[in-house]
């Protein structure tokens, strides 16, 4: 492959965001789940009383907002989700000749990031699609996107659940730094609604769909208005079964329901909360220390958006106080948890006011467990 100049200065030169049109409020989700619970529990009354079938538990909109900070979420396709006879989105299957759903939403975000960086297809050497799930194993969604945009070079998909965006930005930084690419397009098409168990009160409210994209390029070539130098990246993983989805290409070989509840997103939310918050706070203060900085020197925190109480706890551990919404913007009230895209949505919406020299931290934490962070300086 072509080898470009290695670059000492690597920058984020453009960010893109695509938000689906359809919105579902907590109340709508709760009405649907509670109607489903009534129906299921009356149809299975004898088995529930005999203890052979578990009753479906009802949900509560007030609980959801208090426990998570989420008020609503955007979804790619709303139809079917609140239908008590379906409880999952009705997404029309596309033929092999058509653009796939995930490539379509990836393209929306990619075009917006390219425009914000002032870049065309000819300037980009690599496309990374990185998210919690890809629609298929192969051909890679990234290669479909690369083809649709007319980019030369190569593309590949990566899966790291909630840390898919930060981990892909690490790879992009390394490629540009080493000279194997001039510019890398990192896209996070988080089409997660197909994996949500809308009949489970513990998790039916947590997620929303979105797509984000970032251009990482050589500092000496970048010419966009808002540029952030990547000062450093850090990643940490620690194996945990507390957040899992067992859906797999192996599913057809097991003699179990390939769409059963364990094949969808499920978690031990309380344990995740307790274990991940201290890990994330320690990770972030260690990362800043490597740059001889303290949390107090950070102008803006673009934190992972899973739960408002998690973000508050982590911020308190770091700063000794709660940050205001200008220091650590929250988007999960509107978007819910969008897997890896949450911190990138925050970056996309809240960066244009930053001054030259301001420090920002982009951070993800979640399934794996996985934690990823980038320390950025506004140029
Ligand atoms: N309505 C009413 N009551 C409820 C509901 C509800 N909807 N849900 C739970 N309850 C009940 C519980 O059953 C429990 O009752 P009891 O005390 O009788 O057992 C009580 O309320 C309290 O439940 P919890 O202790 O579970 O409540 P929490 O205060 O812990 O809040 C949260 C639950 C919001 C889930 C919280 O624990 C949390 O946010 N934890 C962190 C989770 C997290 O961040 N996970 C990250 C996962 S995402 C990720 O890594 C990406 C994966 C890929 C994307 C997948 C997309 C599909």
């Amino acid at each position: 492959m072509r080898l470009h100049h290695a670059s000492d200065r690597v920058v984020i030169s453009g960010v893109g965001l695509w938000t689906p049109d359809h919105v579902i409020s907590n109340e709508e989700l709760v009405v649907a789940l509670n109607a489903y619970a009534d129906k299921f529990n009356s149809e299975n009354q004898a088995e529930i009383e005999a203890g052979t079938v578990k009753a479906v538990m009802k949900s509560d909109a007030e609980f959801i907002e208090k426990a998570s900070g989420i008020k609503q979420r955007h979804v790619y396709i709303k139809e079917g989700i609140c239908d008590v006879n379906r409880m999952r989105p009705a997404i029309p299957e596309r033929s092999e000749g058509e653009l796939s759903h995930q490539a379509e939403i990836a393209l929306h975000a990619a075009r917006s990031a390219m425009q914000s960086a002032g870049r065309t297809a000819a300037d980009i050497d690599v496309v990374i699609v990185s998210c919690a799930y890809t629609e298929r194993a192969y051909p890679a969604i990234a290669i479909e996107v690369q083809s649709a945009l007319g980019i030369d070079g190569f593309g590949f998909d990566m899966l790291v659940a909630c840390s898919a965006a930060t981990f892909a930005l690490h790879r992009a930084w390394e490629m540009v730094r080493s000279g194997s690419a001039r510019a890398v397009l990192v896209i996070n098409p988080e089409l997660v609604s197909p994996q949500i168990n809308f009949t489970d009160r513990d998790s039916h409210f947590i997620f929303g769909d979105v797509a984000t994209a970032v251009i990482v390029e050589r500092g000496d070539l970048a010419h966009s208005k808002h540029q952030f130098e990547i000062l450093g990246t850090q990643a940490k993983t620690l194996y945990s079964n507390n957040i899992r989805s067992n859906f797999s290409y192996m599913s057809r070989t097991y003699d179990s329901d390939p769409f059963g509840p364990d094949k969808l997103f499920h978690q031990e939310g309380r344990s995740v909360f307790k274990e991940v918050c201290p890990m994330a706070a320690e990770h972030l203060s260690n990362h800043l220390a490597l740059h001889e900085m303290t949390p107090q020197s950070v102008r803006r925190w673009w934190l992972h958006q899973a739960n408002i109480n998690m973000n508050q706890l982590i911020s308190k551990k770091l700063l000794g106080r709660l940050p205001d919404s200008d220091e650590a913007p929250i988007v999960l009230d509107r978007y819910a948890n969008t897997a890896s895209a949450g911190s990138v949505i925050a970056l996309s919406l809240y960066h244009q006011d930053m001054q030259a020299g301001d420090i920002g931290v982009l951070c993800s934490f979640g399934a794996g467990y996985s934690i990823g962070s980038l320390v950025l300086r506004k140029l």
Side-chain angles (χ1 to χ4, degrees):
M1 67 173 292
R2 290 171 303 184
L3 194 64
H4 304 286
H5 291 292
S7 180
D8 285 341
R9 178 174 280 189
V10 179
V11 301
I12 287 178
S13 57
V15 189
L17 168 65
W18 176 76
T19 304
D21 290 336
H22 310 292
V23 173
I24 305 186
S25 67
N26 291 346
E27 289 72 19
E28 284 176 276
L29 273 189
V30 167
V31 166
L33 172 44
N34 292 353
Y36 173 83
D38 283 338
K39 182 172 179 284
F40 180 92
N41 295 344
S42 75
E43 283 170 3
N44 294 277
Q45 197 178 346
E47 292 86 342
I48 291 169
E49 277 164 13
T52 52
V53 169
K54 264 189 161 170
V56 173
M57 304 289 280
K58 288 193 175 180
S59 188
D60 174 12
E62 211 177 303
F63 169 89
I64 294 172
E65 191 173 337
K66 197 158 166 277
S68 68
I70 297 165
K71 295 180 180 163
Q72 61 165 48
R73 71 282 301 137
H74 290 261
V75 288
Y76 176 57
I77 301 274
K78 185 168 177 176
E79 196 189 337
I81 293 175
C82 296
D83 173 353
V84 289
N85 296 313
R86 185 175 175 91
M87 302 301 280
R88 61 188 198 280
I91 302 180
E93 191 169 3
R94 289 185 177 171
S95 74
E96 292 188 0
E98 288 176 283
L99 189 69
S100 59
H101 294 285
Q102 209 172 15
E104 179 181 313
I105 70 169
L107 280 167
H108 293 313
R111 289 191 173 111
S112 140
M114 286 163 72
Q115 191 181 24
S116 119
R119 287 294 169 216
T120 65
D123 305 315
I124 295 169
D125 296 314
V126 182
V127 178
I128 306 177
V129 162
S130 194
C131 45
Y133 308 95
T134 50
E135 192 175 332
R136 57 172 184 261
Y138 47 83
I141 304 295
I143 303 176
E144 188 180 1
V145 170
Q146 178 201 352
S147 161
L149 289 171
I151 291 173
D152 197 7
F154 66 95
F156 60 91
D157 294 347
M158 274 176 69
L159 302 178
V160 201
C162 284
S163 288
T166 56
F167 277 45
L169 290 169
H170 292 189
R171 305 289 76 76
W173 178 70
E174 287 164 352
M175 287 179 193
V176 176
R177 226 177 128 82
S178 69
S180 61
R182 294 164 301 163
V184 180
L185 168 60
V186 173
I187 320 171
N188 322 107
E190 292 291 9
L191 181 50
V192 296
S193 55
Q195 257 279 315
I196 301 169
N197 184 349
F198 288 103
T199 70
D200 169 37
R201 76 165 176 177
D202 288 333
S203 59
H204 75 127
F205 59 89
I206 298 180
F207 296 100
D209 299 326
V210 82
T212 53
V214 174
I215 303 282
V216 175
E217 67 174 313
R218 269 171 45 184
D220 59 329
L221 298 179
H223 60 90
S224 64
K225 189 166 171 205
H226 299 286
Q227 294 177 32
F228 289 87
E229 181 179 2
I230 302 175
L231 298 181
T233 66
Q234 284 287 303
K236 172 84 184 164
T237 52
L238 182 73
Y239 187 64
S240 167
N241 272 324
N242 284 335
I243 312 170
R244 250 190 110 103
S245 162
N246 294 324
F247 186 74
S248 155
Y249 76 102
M250 309 268 287
S251 297
R252 70 184 282 263
T253 67
Y254 306 140
D255 294 327
S256 64
D257 177 0
F259 305 112
D262 76 296
K263 305 296 188 298
L264 304 175
F265 168 90
H266 56 286
Q267 70 168 351
E268 293 295 331
R270 203 61 359 225
S271 305
V272 173
F273 197 108
K274 276 199 207 137
E275 291 168 13
V276 169
C277 289
M279 271 173 68
E282 194 190 349
H283 174 96
L284 285 169
S285 61
N286 289 344
H287 189 181
L288 287 164
L290 287 175
H291 297 282
E292 296 175 350
M293 291 177 196
T294 64
Q296 280 68 27
S297 35
V298 176
R299 169 70 186 83
R300 186 151 291 150
W301 301 89
W302 299 289
L303 293 179
H304 183 57
Q305 305 280 319
N307 179 299
I308 182 82
N309 302 316
M310 269 179 120
N311 286 24
Q312 289 186 345
L313 187 59
I314 292 167
S315 303
K316 244 178 154 175
K317 279 180 192 285
L318 287 165
L319 297 166
R321 62 177 171 82
L322 283 180
D324 62 29
S325 58
D326 181 65
E327 288 174 283
I330 294 293
V331 303
L332 68 85
D333 53 340
R334 291 161 275 167
Y335 284 91
N337 180 340
T338 49
S340 79
S343 58
V344 186
I345 302 173
L347 170 67
S348 161
L349 296 176
Y350 301 99
H351 72 270
Q352 296 194 356
D353 60 325
M354 288 176 74
Q355 305 295 312
D358 280 351
I359 298 295
V361 171
L362 185 80
C363 177
S364 65
F365 36 86
Y369 297 132
S370 58
I371 303 181
S373 56
L374 289 91
V375 177
L376 307 176
R377 178 167 56 206
K378 180 82 187 353
L379 293 177

